[in-house]
Amino acid sequence: MPWFRVHYVDKKTYKRHDTTITLGQLLHHTSGIPWSTISLIPETAAENATEITVRKLIGIELEELPGKVYEYATINYDVLALVIQVIVQKPFEAFLKDEVFEKLQLTQTDIGQAKDSSFMSKGYKIGFFRPLAYKAPLYKGNNAAGYVISSIEDIGKWVEFQMGKVPSDLYPFAQLTHQRDRTVPLHNMAAYARGWEVNLDGSGEIFHGGYNPNFTTFIAFRPEKQLGVAVLANSNSTFTPIIGRRIMKILAGEELVNEYDPGDRGDKSFSIISFALLLYLIGAIGFISWKIHAIAIRKAVFTGWKKLNLLTYLKGLILISPFLMGIYWFPNALAGFDWESILVWMPISFQAMIFALLTAIGISYLAFLINLLFKVEQSYKAKAPFVLLMSIISGLANVIVIILVTSAIDSEIELKYLVFYYALVVGLYLLGRRYVQISLIKIARGIVYDLRLQLTDKIFSTSYENFERIEKGKVYTALNDDVNTLGQSASLIVNLVTSIITTIGAFIFLSLIAFWAAIIVVLLIVALASVYYGVVHSTNTYFEEARDERNRYMRLIGGMIEGFKELIIRRSKKLAFKVDIDKSAEVLKDRMSTADIRFVKAFIVGESLLIVLLGFIAIGMPRMFDNIQNYTVMSFVIVLLYLIGPINGILSAVPAVLQLRIAWNRIKNFVNEIPVVFNQQEVKGNFEVAHFSVERVLYTYKHSEDDKGFAVGPIDFEVRRGEIIFLIGGNGSGKTTFAKLIMGLYRPQEGEIKINGERVKYSLLGEYFSVIFSPPYLFEKLYDIDLEEKKDQLCKYLSLLELDKKVTIHNGRFSTIDLSSGQRKRLALLLCFLEDRPIYLFDEWAADQDPAYRRFFYQTLLPEMKNEGKIIIAITHDDSYFHIADRILKMEEGTLKPLNKEYDLPILE
């Protein structure tokens, strides 16, 4: 065969050498032809199939120089078959029948095709944990290497012939095939002869196994003891040789030992990955369906083919490309195969896994594209399903990192492929983790934003009366601490989800390596989780108490801020108040410390269990499972060391998750505690008031059902445009309550309030008032005032109130509100003038003014307001100016009474 040419490249010098292969080297599998050439064997039934097959070797690069190293390559025997055909000038199959089968009277034996197909067993291939019927392609060119079809009777004759029990002229040639090759190193305490393996463990056993896509065989015999075993199986099971070896040991009277699990050619792994991909596909399809539904009901808006979208679309294609390349290279990287051959030789679940993987990539890209082109309102919530998918991908990638690391030990896969796939998976994990983390930060901050809006909307939708009853500490803690706790949950969720997926995936991987050993490890982890559950259950009380104490602490801090001037003037009072703050801080510290310390103790227990696990795996596992291999133990140790981080991450997240749950429950309770009185909406109207009346209004303070409480009313009161009313009375008489009632801050239990003869909702009464409370609160920004329209008035009143040298207004803000009490009240009066409501209510406005400005207020400003048609209600004790009022009303023990004119005092000049 002059056309047969192969070459070898020196690994050190990279020089190419044409080489010569001998028949002996082909017989002993030392030709240097690599094992992976099995994938070159074409599917064909042509007459010249053997030559077609051998010609596939032309120009291949040998793995080693011929005659140096044993490497099984089935195609070696196809080359030998072609040599025979050239010499004898007839097909190899015919030569074998004539010269071997007929001479040994193997009447039920043929090669390539059964004599009678009705007697042929149906072949099976493993797939999804069980054998499935499978018809393999016809490889006629490989008949010489492993497609002999026979019955157990003929195989029995064949084994007897090999041991010399059947007289035959061929026996001396058979003996030649039993002589091992002594020119190359041993492999697994065995040496290859000519078609047989020779066991060198002292038994003198000669054996060989056969493996086709849907059939397996094992034949072994010991000539000295005249023992022979043959196992034929119509499945590609890995247990066929194990069954044969155990039968041989039983026949030889040898002790049976547990052998390692030969595996299932990866079927469990491929099946589990297929199911995982199926779950992922269900989630991805669910996301797409949800998005299509949103598009159908017009909640998703088409963003158009903007430049950014196109760039992102192309970026997605670029990111997918390495994964498609990785799939394309996978057969070659795994076994030097092409796709056609690997699908034949691998389990059926492998093909399903690849199909599911390609579908998952396509569906993921489709989901990415739809998500890119159609945006949903509250887009951060719309990202949640996609983020969940990416979390699963990232977690699975993290698991594959472990598998790659453990599989790389003693792996024969080329370095370039190991590096490529490792970089690919790590890149997927990091990119997925980055996307998930960034997205979760946005989602968490979006949720915080929504919660803050919801809380403030709820607060603004309730009445002042209800708001007064809320503990200020609760408001501060809910809007600040609890909401921030939720906002900081993004990284916690990412770490927790990734750690859980990694841990679950790693244990599934371990169970595929050694099931019962993995179960014991899982049980130990469950014990650890049980300890943590007990701690969580018992520690929850401390976190709840700490949260209650934080409310109290924030209430005290609020008191310190609002009442600082009252505290700072008296040392003993200040120190007594500080004692309360310190005591609350100490209780808070003790509660939190107790809870955290209990978790630390449990964490130490967990850490100890992990160390015990490592010891069990390294020391106990080899003794408990005597058939376990060192590779398996090493894989367990590596995986568990890798898992210490994720497991610790899960355990350390428990306190944070607990506080997260407490914060969430507190926010919900806080929202539920606030009753909604009216919806926030724009109030329109001219707010003209000619007549304001209060009819039989009654309000009672009650602290309990049995408490009769202090009552204000029933009150009858009316006032008309252009009237000035002075309201007087002692402290606790009910003046402020009356003011709050007529402004709608309090809702009366009885009676009604009318404007211009029509009843008005109490929640809208405030729209008719401009109010200065005592003390007034000034905002830095001027709200609900058109400064452009009232620019002239603003300058006029700043000058009139003698504030033009103190305060300026820029971009709707005061330059300062750091003023004296009197100036602050004047600034508040400025806002009243600018708001220009029909009713002015002043609470002790003149109390902080100097005598000259007080006189100016009563004798000049109030009459001007009256002339403008304003209704003025002033709570005051300035009896020197009572004559300014049209009427004086006095509040005594909740009852409103008019004063006689005789009560008026002369004007003090």
Side-chain angles (χ1 to χ4, degrees), residues 147-286:
Y147 286 87
V148 172
I149 299 170
S150 186
S151 67
I152 200 66
E153 291 84 0
D154 274 10
I155 291 297
K157 293 178 184 178
W158 174 252
V159 175
E160 287 183 328
F161 161 70
Q162 292 292 332
M163 293 190 294
K165 295 183 69 175
V166 178
S168 172
D169 295 338
L170 295 177
Y171 181 63
F173 300 106
Q175 286 180 306
L176 290 175
T177 66
H178 302 165
Q179 296 175 11
R180 70 182 179 92
D181 182 11
R182 299 173 181 273
T183 63
V184 294
L186 304 179
H187 55 277
N188 299 322
M189 286 303 296
Y192 203 83
R194 297 178 173 118
W196 293 104
E197 298 264 9
V198 179
N199 203 328
L200 300 178
D201 61 356
S203 64
E205 184 173 297
I206 298 170
F207 66 95
H208 202 290
Y211 169 59
N212 283 338
N214 52 355
F215 290 93
T216 47
T217 61
F218 179 78
I219 298 176
F221 55 92
R222 298 184 182 183
E224 292 182 4
K225 293 186 177 182
Q226 292 291 288
L227 295 176
V229 173
V231 181
L232 311 182
N234 61 332
S235 166
N236 68 340
S237 172
T238 55
F239 285 88
T240 304
I242 290 179
I243 293 170
R245 282 193 291 267
R246 291 177 71 84
I247 293 173
M248 178 60 81
K249 285 184 179 294
I250 292 171
L251 293 176
E254 296 175 1
E255 181 183 358
L256 292 176
V257 295
N258 289 326
E259 298 193 53
Y260 67 91
D261 187 342
D264 53 10
R265 307 191 192 281
D267 176 63
K268 287 179 185 175
S269 301
F270 302 142
S271 299
I272 290 173
I273 294 172
S274 298
F275 291 136
L277 287 169
L278 180 62
L279 291 175
Y280 172 80
L281 282 170
I282 291 172
I285 292 170

Side-chain angles (χ1 to χ4, degrees), residues 728-747:
I728 67 172
N731 289 332
S733 62
K735 302 187 304 297
T736 303
T737 302
F738 172 70
K740 290 177 179 177
L741 283 168
I742 65 175
M743 287 187 294
L745 294 178
Y746 284 0
R747 184 172 192 168

